[in-house]
């Protein structure tokens, strides 16, 4: 496909997403199915345009002085793909599949216009109703912090220390310019894609097939590390999902002790079996959602709750989600978080810890949920997680996480701008012994 066809395809897919309120991944998949003539490079380039347009559609619209889809896609082509406006116009000359783009003067002006005169939500590329919530938790630099959630993300991997080590995996992934993560001691990073490129399919690499590493954002790795599990412990991963943190906990525990992996959704849990086998995890017992967990009550050293949330911290990877999020959906998540915290707390033994994690940066889902939980469940107190972060994680100078005061203790919040990770919140609560 020529560039004009790629731009038109991106506009078509974005229109489908807006009209039918569909997830971007599904819209891209359906377009590819109905346009089989498009090669893998075409689909990758079109996907980049769509994701970039969704990530920054408010700031692009402001700078282009138009919120029409053709203007947003042109902005993505100029900025994210690094195309000069004149070069873009020249490339589309005579292309019968090319869409009509803004005039040359407007596209040229786009390069020099910024969002300094726009409302904060425009520069942050978020819905207006979320602006005060972001400001409340991110402080005076909230616009820049939120805008970083619209950057292209890196590809992060976690070394499985049950089977390999970081130097060995780095050598195996040398063709992809992989580097060690700055914070996670078992993390490896492949830089964000540039222009119309794409990340390598690391899952076809021999190292992945042998279980040497897993795909996992550095922030998720740190959340598992901050759970501070140790060999011999009894652990419940109460919202295990596909098992990313379960595998990380198993490696940290050196395949000893016992991890109970549970999730209320059988479909989310399904991938965990193959992942455990490939990783060589022998200390994990997977519980079907119908299983009775009564025998675990009051017996766990650590209960990890990776709670259902709005996913505001993952918007680099799922930019369509921020435009679908509503206040009603947020309220539903808050109720689910309260329920799962109350249920999970039953399994913590005296002296044990409850670890609460979300991939959200909203205060309502994080600090406020802990503060609401404490009066309902006597005997739990919030620990100072900032001290654990300094001991276990931080390398180099400077603050790499937000310290969040919670009921006499300190939780942590990670963000793309400050921490270089997806957005995560982590709080640990100790039950009185």
């Amino acid at each position: 496909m020529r560039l004009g066809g790629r731009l038109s395809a991106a506009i078509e897919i974005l229109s489908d997403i807006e009209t039918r309120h569909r997830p971007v991944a599904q819209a891209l998949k359906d377009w590819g199915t109905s346009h089989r003539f498009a090669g893998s490079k075409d689909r990758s380039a079109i996907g980049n345009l769509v994701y970039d347009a969704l990530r920054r559609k408010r700031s692009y619209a402001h700078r282009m002085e138009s919120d029409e889809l053709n203007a947003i896609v042109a902005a993505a082509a100029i900025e994210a793909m690094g195309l000069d406006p004149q070069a873009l116009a020249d490339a589309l000359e005579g292309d019968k599949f090319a869409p009509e783009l803004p005039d040359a003067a407007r596209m040229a002006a786009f390069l020099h216009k910024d969002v300094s005169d726009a409302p904060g939500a425009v520069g942050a590329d978020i819905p207006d109703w979320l602006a005060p919530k972001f400001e409340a938790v991110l402080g005076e630099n909230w616009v820049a912090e939120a805008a970083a959630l619209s950057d292209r993300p890196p590809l992060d991997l976690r070394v499985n220390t049950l089977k390999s080590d970081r130097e060995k995996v780095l050598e195996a992934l040398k063709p992809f310019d992989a580097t060690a993560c700055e914070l996670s001691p078992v993390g490896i990073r492949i830089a964000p894609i540039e222009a119309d490129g794409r990340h390598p399919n690391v899952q076809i690499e021999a190292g992945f097939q042998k279980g040497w590493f897993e795909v996992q954002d550095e922030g998720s790795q740190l959340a598992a590390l901050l759970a501070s599990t140790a060999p011999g412990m009894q652990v419940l991963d109460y919202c295990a999902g596909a098992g990313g943190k379960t595998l990380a906990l198993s490696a940290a525990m050196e395949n000893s002790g016992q991890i109970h992996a549970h999730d209320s959704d059988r479909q989310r849990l399904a991938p965990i079996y193959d992942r455990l086998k490939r990783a060589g995890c022998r200390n994990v017992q997977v519980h079907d959602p119908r299983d009775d967990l009564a025998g675990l009550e009051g017996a766990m050293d650590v209960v990890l709750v990776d709670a259902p949330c709005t996913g505001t911290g993952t918007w680099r990877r799922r930019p369509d989600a921020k435009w679908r999020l509503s206040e009603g959906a947020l309220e539903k998540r808050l109720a689910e978080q309260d329920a799962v915290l109350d249920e999970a707390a039953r399994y913590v033994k005296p002296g044990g810890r409850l670890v609460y994690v979300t991939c959200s940066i909203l205060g309502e889902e994080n600090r406020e949920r802990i503060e609401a939980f404490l009066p309902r469940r006597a005997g739990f107190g919030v620990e100072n997680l900032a001290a654990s972060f300094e001991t276990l994680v931080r390398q180099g100078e400077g603050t790499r996480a937000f310290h969040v005061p919670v009921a006499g203790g300190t939780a942590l919040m990670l963000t793309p701008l400050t921490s270089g990770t997806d957005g995560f919140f982590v709080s640990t609560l100790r039950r009185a012994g």
Side-chain angles (χ1 to χ4, degrees):
M1 294 175 68
R2 295 175 61 183
L3 179 58
R6 291 177 174 181
L7 296 176
S8 292
I11 293 170
E12 179 184 343
I13 294 165
L14 287 165
S15 178
D16 181 39
I17 293 169
E18 285 191 358
T19 302
R20 301 170 63 186
H21 306 288
R22 312 179 67 209
V24 60
Q26 188 62 54
L28 284 166
K29 179 181 178 180
D30 288 353
W31 185 92
T33 300
S34 60
H35 297 77
R36 295 190 180 277
F37 60 84
S40 60
K41 290 185 177 180
D42 292 319
R43 293 194 298 271
S44 177
I46 292 164
N48 286 343
L49 284 167
V50 170
Y51 273 90
D52 289 332
L54 288 168
R55 288 184 180 112
R56 300 195 181 278
K57 72 175 187 177
R58 291 203 73 181
S59 60
Y60 282 169
H62 176 79
R63 294 169 59 195
M64 194 64 82
E65 298 183 350
S66 171
D67 60 3
E68 296 293 327
L69 289 178
N70 64 340
I72 303 299
V73 169
I78 292 170
E79 184 163 271
M81 295 181 65
L83 295 177
D84 177 83
Q86 187 57 54
L88 175 60
D90 291 344
L92 300 182
E93 186 69 29
D95 186 345
K96 65 179 181 179
F97 296 107
E100 181 179 352
L101 297 183
D103 60 63
R106 178 169 292 180
M107 289 202 294
F110 166 81
L111 285 177
H112 307 290
K113 186 176 177 63
D114 60 29
V115 292
S116 59
D117 61 339
V122 173
D125 272 294
I126 61 174
D128 288 333
W129 70 275
L130 285 172
K133 299 180 184 298
F134 273 60
E135 185 174 9
V137 294
L138 295 170
E140 61 181 16
N141 200 35
W142 75 272
V143 173
E145 285 280 355
L149 286 163
S150 296
D151 291 341
R152 289 181 175 184
L155 175 61
D156 288 347
L157 314 172
R158 178 187 58 79
V159 175
N160 177 20
T161 53
L162 297 176
K163 288 192 171 185
S164 191
D165 58 59
R166 185 149 69 174
E167 290 307 312
K168 185 176 180 179
V169 177
L170 282 170
E171 181 62 28
L173 298 177
K174 196 172 183 179
F176 308 127
D177 296 323
T179 60
C181 284
E182 294 184 1
L183 297 177
S184 170
V186 291
I188 288 177
R189 172 160 293 181
I190 297 174
I193 57 179
E194 297 181 357
D196 60 354
R198 52 182 170 174
H199 275 136
N201 181 7
V202 295
Q203 295 185 352
I204 65 173
E205 294 295 309
F208 180 83
Q209 298 298 325
K210 294 175 183 178
W212 292 0
F213 63 86
E214 289 284 334
V215 177
Q216 186 177 24
D217 179 74
E218 186 181 15
S220 181
Q221 296 177 39
L222 297 177
L225 180 65
L226 290 167
S228 296
T229 53
M233 282 186 172
Q234 293 292 311
V235 177
L236 171 59
D237 188 353
Y238 191 69
C239 304
K245 293 183 181 65
T246 303
L247 269 65
L249 296 174
S250 177
M253 294 166 62
E254 301 174 5
N255 246 342
S256 69
Q258 183 76 62
I259 300 173
H260 300 271
H262 166 273
D263 199 279
S264 61
D265 188 318
R266 183 176 288 103
Q267 185 172 350
R268 282 200 302 264
L269 196 61
I272 197 173
Y273 298 96
D274 288 340
R275 298 181 75 183
L276 290 171
K277 181 178 180 181
R278 186 176 59 250
C281 298
R282 300 188 302 274
N283 65 336
V284 178
Q285 179 179 350
V286 182
H287 293 269
D288 184 271
R290 297 194 187 98
D291 286 355
D292 184 2
L293 301 182
L296 306 182
E297 290 189 23
M300 297 293 103
D301 294 293
V302 175
V303 177
L304 175 65
V305 177
D306 190 359
C309 68
T310 58
T312 53
T314 67
W315 282 348
R316 296 188 300 178
R317 305 173 198 280
R318 300 177 58 242
D320 54 315
K322 64 181 168 183
W323 309 117
R324 293 199 309 273
L325 182 61
S326 66
E327 294 182 81
L330 173 58
E331 289 299 322
K332 180 181 178 181
R333 286 288 180 253
L334 302 185
E336 292 171 346
Q337 289 152 7
D338 287 342
V340 77
L341 268 172
D342 287 344
E343 182 66 18
R346 296 167 44 204
Y347 302 100
V348 182
K349 75 177 187 181
R353 287 180 301 113
L354 178 62
V355 183
Y356 179 72
V357 178
T358 74
C359 52
S360 173
I361 61 171
L362 298 181
E364 292 94 328
E365 296 187 276
N366 298 332
R367 176 182 55 79
E368 292 183 23
R369 298 282 52 77
I370 299 299
E371 291 176 341
F373 165 80
L374 292 172
R376 298 196 305 268
R377 297 288 303 205
F380 281 88
V382 180
E383 295 185 307
N384 179 15
L385 200 56
S388 298
F389 185 78
E390 295 295 320
T391 302
L392 297 173
V393 173
R394 201 187 71 152
Q395 299 177 18
E397 298 301 318
T399 301
R400 298 300 302 272
F402 284 82
H403 296 178
V404 184
V406 185
T410 305
L412 291 176
M413 185 172 67
L414 310 173
T415 67
L417 186 62
T418 294
S419 313
T421 69
D422 281 353
F424 276 91
F425 175 85
V426 187
S427 179
T428 59
L429 299 88
R430 178 80 64 177
R431 183 181 174 186

